[in-house]
Amino acid sequence: MDVEILSRIQFAFTVAFHFLFPPLTIGLGLNLVVMSALWLKTRNPLYHNMARFWTRIFGLIFAIGVATGIVMEFEFGTNWATYSRFVGDVFGSPLAIEGIYAFFLESGFLAILLFGWDKVGPKTHFFATCMVSLGAHFSAIWILVANSWMQTPAGFHLAKKVKVTPDGVEHPYSAQLEPGTFELKEVALPDGYILQTEDLDSIRAVITDFWEMVFNPSSMDRLAHTIIACWITGTFLVISISAYYLLKRRHIPFAKASMKIGLTIGTIAVLLQLWSADSTARGVSENQPVKLAAIEGLAESTTEAPLGIVGMVTWDKDEEGTIIGINEHSIKVKGLLSILVSGDFLNPVEASKTEVKGLNQLPPDEFLLARYPGATPEELKKIRPEYWPNVPVVFQTYHIMIACGMALIGISLLGCFMWMTGKLWQLDWKLTRWFLVILVFSVFLPQIANQAGWFTAEMGRQPWVVYEHLKTSQGLSEAVRAGQVLFSLILFAAIYFLLFLVFIFTLNNKIQHGPSDDITGKNLPERWRAIMMKGGRQTES
Amino acid sequence: MDLNTIWFILVGVLFTGYVMLDGFDLGVGALHLFTKGDTERRTMLNAIGPVWDGNEVWLVTGGGALFAAFPEVYATVFSGFYEAFFLLLFGLIFRAVAIEFRSKHPHSMWRKGWDISFACGSIASAFLIGVAMGNVVWGIPLDTNHEYTGTFLTQLNPYSLFMGVSTVALFAMHGNIYLIMKTEGELQEKLRRWVKITIPIFVVCFLIFGILTPFVCPQIKAAFIDRPIPLIITFTLALLVVANIPREIHKGREFNAFLSSCGCMTFLMMTFGISVYPNMVFSNPDLANSLTIYNGSSTDKTLGFMLIIAIIGVPIVLTYTACVYYIFRGKVVLTDESY
């Protein structure tokens, strides 16, 4: 295998593993804020107990999130050095801002959240909880801004570095001049300049407008979509563990109260997600039509475009094995995709006449002709598939995400219904027990949806690393060989596998141990005040 | 002063913050296996418990700032030091999760395993950080496009390896002093005895290093001839604060000793910065291909904008970092929340 595929596997693997944890902490953090607020308001020791228990779970997940997160930041440099050089001027700033404004906030207040129970007053502790949650959200925001810029680049232009000698003559960047006899200058290139591989030594993306970069066309949609997904992920952990306790008839008041909070946040979030998903998909249709055609497996441009529910897409290849198109077999609803793309749900008949571009027309001829001037229509047809993502995979990951999302909506609404009718607490009733079993396993649904959605977004972007500017294959490190990547990949696989086993073992330990049910004087507000008077020293309990 | 120089200093400040803060918790890791008994080890872990995570953020932010301000340097160094950086990352991962996992199960094999993982991860991280610094001073082979042309073995030159060993010694001493500050009783007595070993080891490394560097690194020698006064000042200051450490320890003023140790790191980093400026990575053997703060930087627009971000952000960060250290001041006491 070559460096490109190995580096892609490594990046995908390390991101996917890391991406199991931050959504949990972001969502769990939100739940912690609600629980702490309830404790602060009611002073009911039950809420205090809840906050403490869920904080312990939070701490465990957070630690692995941090440990695996550092990897991501350095992998841009280690495996994608050419990419890093090309985009550093634009892409580095959100990462640096994430460090200064999110990580410090998160980790600083995390100390108070985890270890500060007896050191600071309840209000300060609540404040720390809010700050940790805020930091986690900031972190997601900046990383998604950076990622969205790769999907829909904005606020920059391409610039060529040249060497200028004192007599004003511009030499190419590759010219061998005596050090000190020239100055570096960047010459802006015209819009629509098409990057050649040999340009990569001297051409890079240069920022022109920071806020335009931040609010690039896909930022807000993708932010909303991902953050709501995080809320759902963390909340369903709360729901799942609470359902487990209810099934086992352990810590029942605790589990009931946690379940109520979880179901409330979860239901609101899944419904919000429905709205956000629609907006995100519409954004994709506008900014990345190739991606939309790929995720829906749409071959020909058409009006009344159908929406696939479940099915299969395969490559259509000629005798030599070159891809010439796709074969699509799926159960679909005619016209629904057109309606979704137009966004005009009130006039469905009118809306279904919206044309949706298919892969056989995408990317459009002008795009290809700019890269291959004078190509004949037959040649264009042959070249076109090189600009498609891996359609069979993207189609499936997208539909897995949608299926998980729909299942989550169903489960949440049913859960709320059973809660409202009181059936959810009738632990002897067989149907309730079945539903609780479903709730226990529902924790996997948001995780699967997250991973599938992430793969859809990132694989749907291929073959580009910076959409329609830099190809993934052009972004690799020139100094790195396949053997080195293979070595690191094998180590990652081994270490992450071990980590995951230990994580599951430890998480299970914590769940089995459960919350401490003793609601004693220790947790009462008077006690807090007494400890506050003692200043910084911890006291033996 | 131009923006490039300001960012050279700012990135330097971030990495100094990192070695000063994560330095002591890596040092605690280096000493971890020498203590016996669960309570002692728990005490040591809890001495860094609330702060290690925040300390590591300095590395992440330093990396982010390097990416934003000097993308060329970021790309060259990280792709060039490929194996070394992944080993560093694995070291950091292992020690981080060891801290978290160790307390979760009382079984002795479980705890012993994580103790070893914590100590080895810490020592390896400290060592590799030193080796990387050593290579930056010594120089690495770069071509005209600033691509690294050497191999992993190129980085294992004696100079850099010695820098690695010195870094472990420095962090161990730093961690030792921090622990004396955070502990009491029998463990503290033990740590006081250790400091009689950790300080001399570092001082020897430091002296060999200070004397050797100008002779073996021609580019540093050139810097010495070019700007001797600031270099002599920072180096002397480093020497003075190092000499101050045993004095403060002897008088039982651990906090001052810790400050001196922090000061030592600051002055060493300053010496390092002044002697390499305006270069960021030396190219060895062909110095003409070196990466400087000008040919490796982002545009002035990014540097300027990021400066505003930093001017607003850094004071806020320093405020709550200080708050956290203040809240968790005093000796370690093991409670329910402890590791």
Side-chain angles (χ1 to χ4, degrees), chain A residues 52 73-74 89 208 484 538, chain B residues 64 74 78 299 301 333 337:
Chain A
R52 282 186 98 120
E73 194 193 18
F74 294 115
D89 197 60
T208 51
Q484 290 172 290
Q538 279 182 355
Chain B
Y74 170 86
F78 285 81
T299 54
K301 191 149 188 159
V333 179
E337 269 79 35

Side-chain angles (χ1 to χ4, degrees), chain B residues 20 42 63 87 109-110 167 197 203 211 219 225 235 239 241-242 248-249 253 262 277 295 326:
Chain B
M20 227 156 70
R42 279 189 70 200
L87 292 176
M109 280 298 283
W110 173 268
T167 309
I197 307 165
V203 172
I211 296 162
Q219 62 270 29
I225 294 161
F235 191 75
L239 211 64
V241 285
V242 168
E248 299 290 357
I249 292 277
R253 293 186 298 223
C262 289
Y277 179 87
N295 67 14
Y326 181 75

